[in-house]
CSV table of all heavy atoms in Angstrom, one decimal:
chain,number,residue,atom,x,y,z
X,1,GLU,N,93.4,80.5,91.8
X,1,GLU,CA,92.9,81.8,92.4
X,1,GLU,C,94.1,82.8,92.6
X,1,GLU,O,95.3,82.3,92.7
X,1,GLU,CB,92.3,81.6,93.8
X,1,GLU,CG,91.1,80.8,93.7
X,1,GLU,CD,89.9,81.5,93.0
X,1,GLU,OE1,89.8,82.7,93.1
X,1,GLU,OE2,89.1,80.8,92.3
X,2,ILE,N,93.9,84.1,92.7
X,2,ILE,CA,94.9,85.1,92.8
X,2,ILE,C,95.8,84.8,94.0
X,2,ILE,O,97.0,84.9,93.8
X,2,ILE,CB,94.3,86.5,92.8
X,2,ILE,CG1,93.8,86.8,91.4
X,2,ILE,CG2,95.3,87.5,93.2
X,2,ILE,CD1,93.0,88.2,91.3
X,3,GLU,N,95.2,84.5,95.1
X,3,GLU,CA,96.0,84.2,96.3
X,3,GLU,C,96.9,83.1,96.1
X,3,GLU,O,98.1,83.1,96.5
X,3,GLU,CB,95.1,84.0,97.5
X,3,GLU,CG,95.9,83.9,98.8
X,3,GLU,CD,96.8,85.1,99.2
X,3,GLU,OE1,96.6,86.1,98.6
X,3,GLU,OE2,97.7,84.9,100.1
X,4,GLU,N,96.5,82.0,95.4
X,4,GLU,CA,97.3,80.8,95.1
X,4,GLU,C,98.4,81.2,94.2
X,4,GLU,O,99.6,80.8,94.4
X,4,GLU,CB,96.5,79.8,94.5
X,4,GLU,CG,97.2,78.5,94.3
X,4,GLU,CD,96.3,77.4,93.6
X,4,GLU,OE1,95.1,77.6,93.5
X,4,GLU,OE2,96.9,76.4,93.2
X,5,ARG,N,98.2,82.1,93.2
X,5,ARG,CA,99.3,82.5,92.3
X,5,ARG,C,100.3,83.3,93.1
X,5,ARG,O,101.5,83.2,92.9
X,5,ARG,CB,98.7,83.3,91.2
X,5,ARG,CG,98.0,82.4,90.1
X,5,ARG,CD,97.6,83.3,88.9
X,5,ARG,NE,96.2,83.6,89.1
X,5,ARG,CZ,95.5,84.5,88.5
X,5,ARG,NH1,96.1,85.2,87.7
X,5,ARG,NH2,94.2,84.7,88.7
X,6,ARG,N,99.8,84.1,94.0
X,6,ARG,CA,100.7,85.0,94.8
X,6,ARG,C,101.6,84.1,95.7
X,6,ARG,O,102.8,84.4,95.7
X,6,ARG,CB,99.8,86.0,95.5
X,6,ARG,CG,100.7,87.1,96.2
X,6,ARG,CD,99.8,88.1,96.9
X,6,ARG,NE,99.5,87.6,98.2
X,6,ARG,CZ,100.3,87.7,99.3
X,6,ARG,NH1,101.5,88.2,99.2
X,6,ARG,NH2,99.9,87.3,100.5
X,7,LEU,N,101.0,83.2,96.3
X,7,LEU,CA,101.8,82.3,97.2
X,7,LEU,C,102.8,81.5,96.4
X,7,LEU,O,103.9,81.2,96.9
X,7,LEU,CB,100.9,81.5,98.0
X,7,LEU,CG,100.0,82.2,99.1
X,7,LEU,CD1,99.0,81.2,99.7
X,7,LEU,CD2,100.9,82.9,100.1
X,8,ASN,N,102.4,81.0,95.2
X,8,ASN,CA,103.4,80.2,94.4
X,8,ASN,C,104.5,81.1,94.0
X,8,ASN,O,105.6,80.6,93.8
X,8,ASN,CB,102.6,79.6,93.1
X,8,ASN,CG,101.9,78.4,93.6
X,8,ASN,OD1,102.1,77.7,94.5
X,8,ASN,ND2,100.8,78.1,92.8
X,9,THR,N,104.2,82.3,93.7
X,9,THR,CA,105.3,83.3,93.3
X,9,THR,C,106.3,83.4,94.5
X,9,THR,O,107.5,83.3,94.2
X,9,THR,CB,104.7,84.7,93.0
X,9,THR,OG1,103.8,84.5,91.8
X,9,THR,CG2,105.8,85.6,92.5
X,10,ILE,N,105.8,83.6,95.6
X,10,ILE,CA,106.6,83.8,96.8
X,10,ILE,C,107.5,82.5,97.0
X,10,ILE,O,108.7,82.5,97.2
X,10,ILE,CB,105.8,84.1,98.0
X,10,ILE,CG1,105.2,85.5,97.9
X,10,ILE,CG2,106.7,84.0,99.3
X,10,ILE,CD1,104.2,85.8,98.9
X,11,LYS,N,106.8,81.3,96.8
X,11,LYS,CA,107.5,80.1,97.0
X,11,LYS,C,108.7,79.9,96.0
X,11,LYS,O,109.7,79.3,96.3
X,11,LYS,CB,106.5,78.9,96.9
X,11,LYS,CG,107.1,77.5,97.0
X,11,LYS,CD,106.1,76.4,96.9
X,11,LYS,CE,105.8,76.3,95.3
X,11,LYS,NZ,105.0,75.3,95.0
X,12,ASN,N,108.4,80.4,94.8
X,12,ASN,CA,109.5,80.2,93.7
X,12,ASN,C,110.6,81.2,93.7
X,12,ASN,O,111.6,81.1,93.0
X,12,ASN,CB,108.8,80.1,92.3
X,12,ASN,CG,108.0,78.9,92.1
X,12,ASN,OD1,108.6,77.8,92.1
X,12,ASN,ND2,106.8,78.9,91.8
X,13,ASN,N,110.4,82.2,94.6
X,13,ASN,CA,111.5,83.2,94.7
X,13,ASN,C,112.1,83.8,93.5
X,13,ASN,O,113.2,83.7,93.2
X,13,ASN,CB,112.6,82.7,95.6
X,13,ASN,CG,113.5,83.7,96.1
X,13,ASN,OD1,113.1,84.9,96.3
X,13,ASN,ND2,114.8,83.4,96.3
X,14,PRO,N,111.2,84.3,92.6
X,14,PRO,CA,111.6,84.8,91.2
X,14,PRO,C,112.4,86.2,91.3
X,14,PRO,O,112.3,86.8,92.4
X,14,PRO,CB,110.4,85.0,90.5
X,14,PRO,CG,109.4,85.4,91.6
X,14,PRO,CD,109.8,84.6,92.8
X,15,ASP,N,113.0,86.5,90.3
X,15,ASP,CA,113.7,87.8,90.2
X,15,ASP,C,112.7,88.9,89.9
X,15,ASP,O,112.9,90.1,90.2
X,15,ASP,CB,114.7,87.8,89.1
X,15,ASP,CG,115.9,86.9,89.4
X,15,ASP,OD1,116.3,86.9,90.6
X,15,ASP,OD2,116.4,86.2,88.5
X,16,MET,N,111.5,88.6,89.2
X,16,MET,CA,110.4,89.5,89.0
X,16,MET,C,109.2,88.7,88.7
X,16,MET,O,109.3,87.5,88.3
X,16,MET,CB,110.8,90.4,87.9
X,16,MET,CG,110.9,89.8,86.5
X,16,MET,SD,111.3,91.0,85.2
X,16,MET,CE,112.9,91.4,85.7
X,17,LEU,N,108.1,89.4,88.8
X,17,LEU,CA,106.8,88.8,88.4
X,17,LEU,C,106.1,89.8,87.5
X,17,LEU,O,106.0,91.0,87.7
X,17,LEU,CB,105.9,88.7,89.7
X,17,LEU,CG,104.4,88.4,89.4
X,17,LEU,CD1,104.2,87.0,88.9
X,17,LEU,CD2,103.5,88.7,90.6
X,18,VAL,N,105.7,89.2,86.3
X,18,VAL,CA,105.0,90.0,85.3
X,18,VAL,C,103.6,89.2,85.1
X,18,VAL,O,103.6,88.1,84.5
X,18,VAL,CB,105.8,90.1,84.0
X,18,VAL,CG1,105.0,90.8,82.9
X,18,VAL,CG2,107.1,90.7,84.3
X,19,SER,N,102.5,89.8,85.5
X,19,SER,CA,101.2,89.2,85.3
X,19,SER,C,100.6,89.9,84.1
X,19,SER,O,100.5,91.2,84.0
X,19,SER,CB,100.4,89.5,86.6
X,19,SER,OG,99.2,88.8,86.5
X,20,ILE,N,100.1,89.1,83.2
X,20,ILE,CA,99.6,89.7,81.9
X,20,ILE,C,98.1,89.5,81.8
X,20,ILE,O,97.7,88.4,82.0
X,20,ILE,CB,100.4,89.0,80.8
X,20,ILE,CG1,101.9,89.2,80.8
X,20,ILE,CG2,99.9,89.6,79.3
X,20,ILE,CD1,102.7,88.4,79.9
X,21,HIS,N,97.5,90.6,81.5
X,21,HIS,CA,96.0,90.6,81.4
X,21,HIS,C,95.4,91.4,80.2
X,21,HIS,O,96.2,92.2,79.6
X,21,HIS,CB,95.5,91.3,82.7
X,21,HIS,CG,95.9,90.7,83.9
X,21,HIS,ND1,95.0,89.9,84.7
X,21,HIS,CD2,97.0,90.6,84.6
X,21,HIS,CE1,95.6,89.4,85.7
X,21,HIS,NE2,96.9,89.8,85.7
X,22,LEU,N,94.2,91.2,79.9
X,22,LEU,CA,93.5,92.1,79.0
X,22,LEU,C,92.4,93.0,79.8
X,22,LEU,O,91.7,92.5,80.6
X,22,LEU,CB,92.7,91.2,78.0
X,22,LEU,CG,93.6,90.2,77.2
X,22,LEU,CD1,92.6,89.4,76.3
X,22,LEU,CD2,94.6,90.9,76.4
X,23,ASP,N,92.4,94.2,79.4
X,23,ASP,CA,91.5,95.1,80.1
X,23,ASP,C,90.2,95.1,79.4
X,23,ASP,O,90.0,94.6,78.3
X,23,ASP,CB,92.1,96.5,80.0
X,23,ASP,CG,91.8,97.4,81.2
X,23,ASP,OD1,90.8,97.0,81.9
X,23,ASP,OD2,92.5,98.3,81.4
X,24,SER,N,89.1,95.6,80.0
X,24,SER,CA,87.8,95.7,79.5
X,24,SER,C,87.1,96.9,80.0
X,24,SER,O,87.3,97.3,81.1
X,24,SER,CB,87.0,94.4,79.8
X,24,SER,OG,85.7,94.4,79.2
X,25,SER,N,86.1,97.4,79.2
X,25,SER,CA,85.3,98.5,79.7
X,25,SER,C,84.0,98.5,79.1
X,25,SER,O,83.8,98.0,78.0
X,25,SER,CB,86.1,99.9,79.3
X,25,SER,OG,85.3,101.0,79.6
X,26,SER,N,83.0,99.1,79.8
X,26,SER,CA,81.7,99.3,79.2
X,26,SER,C,81.8,100.3,78.0
X,26,SER,O,80.9,100.3,77.1
X,26,SER,CB,80.7,99.6,80.2
X,26,SER,OG,81.0,100.8,80.8
X,27,ASN,N,82.8,101.2,78.0
X,27,ASN,CA,83.0,102.1,77.0
X,27,ASN,C,83.9,101.4,75.9
X,27,ASN,O,85.1,101.1,76.0
X,27,ASN,CB,83.7,103.3,77.5
X,27,ASN,CG,84.2,104.3,76.5
X,27,ASN,OD1,83.9,104.2,75.3
X,27,ASN,ND2,84.9,105.4,76.9
X,28,GLN,N,83.2,101.1,74.8
X,28,GLN,CA,83.9,100.2,73.7
X,28,GLN,C,85.0,101.1,73.0
X,28,GLN,O,85.7,100.5,72.2
X,28,GLN,CB,82.8,99.7,72.7
X,28,GLN,CG,81.9,98.7,73.4
X,28,GLN,CD,80.9,98.2,72.5
X,28,GLN,OE1,80.8,98.6,71.3
X,28,GLN,NE2,80.1,97.1,72.9
X,29,SER,N,85.0,102.4,73.3
X,29,SER,CA,86.1,103.1,72.6
X,29,SER,C,87.4,103.3,73.5
X,29,SER,O,88.3,103.8,73.1
X,29,SER,CB,85.6,104.5,72.2
X,29,SER,OG,85.3,105.3,73.3
X,30,ALA,N,87.3,102.7,74.8
X,30,ALA,CA,88.4,102.7,75.7
X,30,ALA,C,89.6,101.9,75.0
X,30,ALA,O,89.3,100.9,74.4
X,30,ALA,CB,88.1,102.1,77.0
X,31,LYS,N,90.8,102.5,75.1
X,31,LYS,CA,91.9,101.8,74.4
X,31,LYS,C,93.2,102.1,75.2
X,31,LYS,O,93.3,103.0,76.0
X,31,LYS,CB,92.0,102.2,73.0
X,31,LYS,CG,92.1,103.7,72.7
X,31,LYS,CD,92.1,104.0,71.3
X,31,LYS,CE,92.1,105.6,71.1
X,31,LYS,NZ,92.0,105.9,69.7
X,32,GLY,N,94.2,101.3,74.8
X,32,GLY,CA,95.5,101.6,75.3
X,32,GLY,C,96.1,100.5,76.3
X,32,GLY,O,95.3,99.7,76.9
X,33,CYS,N,97.3,100.5,76.5
X,33,CYS,CA,97.9,99.6,77.4
X,33,CYS,C,98.4,100.3,78.7
X,33,CYS,O,98.7,101.5,78.6
X,33,CYS,CB,99.2,98.8,76.8
X,33,CYS,SG,100.5,99.9,76.3
X,34,SER,N,98.5,99.6,79.7
X,34,SER,CA,98.9,100.2,81.1
X,34,SER,C,99.6,99.1,81.8
X,34,SER,O,99.4,98.0,81.7
X,34,SER,CB,97.7,100.9,81.8
X,34,SER,OG,96.7,100.0,82.0
X,35,VAL,N,100.4,99.7,82.8
X,35,VAL,CA,101.1,98.8,83.7
X,35,VAL,C,101.0,99.2,85.1
X,35,VAL,O,101.2,100.4,85.4
X,35,VAL,CB,102.6,98.6,83.3
X,35,VAL,CG1,103.3,97.5,84.1
X,35,VAL,CG2,102.8,98.3,81.8
X,36,TYR,N,100.7,98.3,86.0
X,36,TYR,CA,100.4,98.7,87.4
X,36,TYR,C,101.4,98.0,88.3
X,36,TYR,O,102.0,97.0,88.0
X,36,TYR,CB,99.1,98.2,87.8
X,36,TYR,CG,98.0,98.9,87.0
X,36,TYR,CD1,97.5,98.4,85.8
X,36,TYR,CD2,97.5,100.1,87.5
X,36,TYR,CE1,96.6,99.1,85.1
X,36,TYR,CE2,96.5,100.8,86.7
X,36,TYR,CZ,96.1,100.2,85.5
X,36,TYR,OH,95.1,100.9,84.8
X,37,TYR,N,101.8,98.8,89.4
X,37,TYR,CA,102.8,98.3,90.4
X,37,TYR,C,102.3,98.7,91.7
X,37,TYR,O,101.5,99.7,91.9
X,37,TYR,CB,104.2,98.8,90.1
X,37,TYR,CG,104.3,100.3,90.3
X,37,TYR,CD1,104.7,100.9,91.4
X,37,TYR,CD2,103.9,101.2,89.2
X,37,TYR,CE1,104.8,102.2,91.5
X,37,TYR,CE2,104.0,102.5,89.3
X,37,TYR,CZ,104.4,103.0,90.5
X,37,TYR,OH,104.6,104.4,90.6
X,38,TYR,N,102.8,98.1,92.8
X,38,TYR,CA,102.5,98.5,94.1
X,38,TYR,C,103.6,99.0,94.9
X,38,TYR,O,103.6,100.0,95.5
X,38,TYR,CB,101.8,97.3,94.9
X,38,TYR,CG,101.4,97.6,96.3
X,38,TYR,CD1,100.3,98.5,96.5
X,38,TYR,CD2,102.0,96.9,97.3
X,38,TYR,CE1,100.0,98.7,97.9
X,38,TYR,CE2,101.6,97.2,98.6
X,38,TYR,CZ,100.6,98.1,98.9
X,38,TYR,OH,100.3,98.4,100.2
X,39,LYS,N,104.7,98.2,94.9
X,39,LYS,CA,105.9,98.7,95.7
X,39,LYS,C,106.7,99.7,94.8
X,39,LYS,O,106.8,99.4,93.6
X,39,LYS,CB,106.8,97.5,96.0
X,39,LYS,CG,106.1,96.5,96.9
X,39,LYS,CD,106.0,97.1,98.3
X,39,LYS,CE,105.4,96.1,99.3
X,39,LYS,NZ,105.3,96.7,100.7
X,40,ASN,N,107.3,100.6,95.5
X,40,ASN,CA,108.0,101.6,94.7
X,40,ASN,C,109.2,101.0,93.9
X,40,ASN,O,109.4,101.4,92.7
X,40,ASN,CB,108.7,102.7,95.6
X,40,ASN,CG,107.7,103.6,96.1
X,40,ASN,OD1,106.6,103.8,95.5
X,40,ASN,ND2,107.9,104.3,97.3
X,41,TYR,N,109.8,100.0,94.3
X,41,TYR,CA,110.9,99.4,93.6
X,41,TYR,C,110.4,98.6,92.4
X,41,TYR,O,111.2,98.2,91.5
X,41,TYR,CB,111.8,98.4,94.5
X,41,TYR,CG,111.0,97.3,95.2
X,41,TYR,CD1,110.6,96.2,94.6
X,41,TYR,CD2,110.7,97.5,96.5
X,41,TYR,CE1,109.9,95.2,95.3
X,41,TYR,CE2,110.0,96.5,97.3
X,41,TYR,CZ,109.7,95.3,96.5
X,41,TYR,OH,108.9,94.4,97.3
């Protein structure tokens, strides 16, 4: 689960976390890559 992944990340004290996903949309012509972040750093 996402919370378990998040807690394991904290436990391992990494230099960075990169979570890789595939997007989906009901609009079959939607395209492109994007990257999301929460903290300014």
Side-chain angles (χ1 to χ4, degrees):
E1 294 294 325
I2 290 174
E3 183 62 14
E4 182 181 350
R5 283 184 263 165
R6 192 177 81 76
L7 292 173
N8 281 336
T9 300
I10 293 167
K11 178 182 81 177
N12 285 303
N13 193 30
D15 293 321
M16 68 180 64
L17 168 73
V18 179
S19 186
I20 303 170
H21 299 257
L22 302 179
D23 216 338
S24 185
S25 174
S26 59
N27 175 0
Q28 294 181 353
S29 64
K31 58 186 174 179
C33 63
S34 52
V35 185
Y36 296 90
Y37 65 95
Y38 180 67
K39 296 291 185 179
N40 285 338
Y41 55 79

